[in-house]
Amino acid sequence: NAGVTQTPKFRILKIGQSMTLQCAQDMNHNYMYWYRQDPGMGLKLIYYSVGAGITDKGEVPNGYNVSRSTTEDFPLRLELAAPSQTSVYFCASRTGLAETQYFGPGTRLLVL
Amino acid sequence: QQQVKQSPQSLIVQKGGISIINCAYENTAFDYFPWYQQFPGKGPALLIAIRPDVSEKKEGRFTISFNKSAKQFSLHIMDSQPGDSATYFCAATAGANNLFFGTGTRLTVIP
């Protein structure tokens, strides 16, 4: 199993540009999550999904959108990038039977 | 508002020493308290977790102490090793979907 994979590893965006951060898992997990990690702030939940076709907002959803058309994939969309979205983004997944979340390696995003 | 408060922000320990990281919470609905370990450039990985019906859980050199009445829990790393140098996050959740993380502790173990 590859576990949770994320692409790209690093990206530089200009203000106002849009992009999609990709996340995929091959563990057949129903639950998937997007977090952002800022220095000294820990991780904050952006969006999560409990299964294909079902998504919900977390603590900091503004400026982001998600979709979940398949069990495996959970992309995160930034429509109009802002400097405040400079962060490291982590995707995670878990089964419905346990609380343990498995994290991907992260995507570092710099908005200039 | 930080749901889980973590201290210290950074910690330096000699090899063989005990590392102690503390966390506190307010929401009594929290029912699962994991600790995650993160190495530079990597995603967090579950280290150990506890539920509020026990006061202590030990796995190897890692122990969680849980004080339900004080709404505090802590991670103890015994016989700390240079390979333990990483950032540690406590977290808490009620129902497992919204995991609230502490702000992290950067641990450095000096050989």
Side-chain angles (χ1 to χ4, degrees), chain A residues 40-105:
Chain A
M41 297 296 291
L43 286 84
K44 300 285 188 181
L45 182 65
I46 305 171
Y47 270 96
Y48 69 97
S49 170
V50 301
I54 306 170
T55 63
D56 207 348
K57 297 178 180 179
E59 278 187 273
V60 290
N62 292 344
Y64 307 95
N65 278 301
V66 293
S67 60
R68 184 95 181 272
S69 57
T70 67
T71 299
E72 294 77 19
D73 301 298
F74 190 39
L76 178 70
R77 179 83 177 163
L78 283 71
E79 291 294 347
L80 292 170
S84 61
Q85 293 177 307
T86 292
S87 189
V88 181
Y89 292 84
F90 288 100
C91 179
S93 72
R94 70 175 180 93
T95 72
L97 303 176
E99 293 94 342
T100 304
Q101 293 187 20
Y102 297 88
F103 284 80

Side-chain angles (χ1 to χ4, degrees), chain A residues 31 33 35 37 40-45 48-50 57-59 90 94 98-106 108, chain B residues 1-3 9 31-32 36 38 41-46 51 87 89 93 95-104:
Chain A
Y31 295 76
Y33 306 83
Y35 293 89
Q37 183 178 32
M41 297 296 291
L43 286 84
K44 300 285 188 181
L45 182 65
Y48 69 97
S49 170
V50 301
K57 297 178 180 179
E59 278 187 273
F90 288 100
R94 70 175 180 93
E99 293 94 342
T100 304
Q101 293 187 20
Y102 297 88
F103 284 80
R108 184 176 295 273
Chain B
Q1 181 183 356
Q2 194 69 30
Q3 296 267 354
Q9 189 173 4
D31 59 3
Y32 178 72
Y36 280 82
Q38 185 180 29
K42 304 292 185 182
L46 180 69
R51 298 187 188 281
T87 299
F89 293 95
T93 185
N97 268 335
N98 207 349
L99 196 58
F100 295 96
F101 283 83
T103 50

Side-chain angles (χ1 to χ4, degrees), chain B residues 42-65:
Chain B
K42 304 292 185 182
L46 180 69
L47 185 64
I48 186 172
I50 197 168
R51 298 187 188 281
D53 54 347
V54 297
S55 59
E56 185 176 282
K57 183 174 182 180
K58 183 176 181 179
E59 290 185 2
R61 296 184 293 108
F62 301 91
T63 300
I64 301 178
S65 296

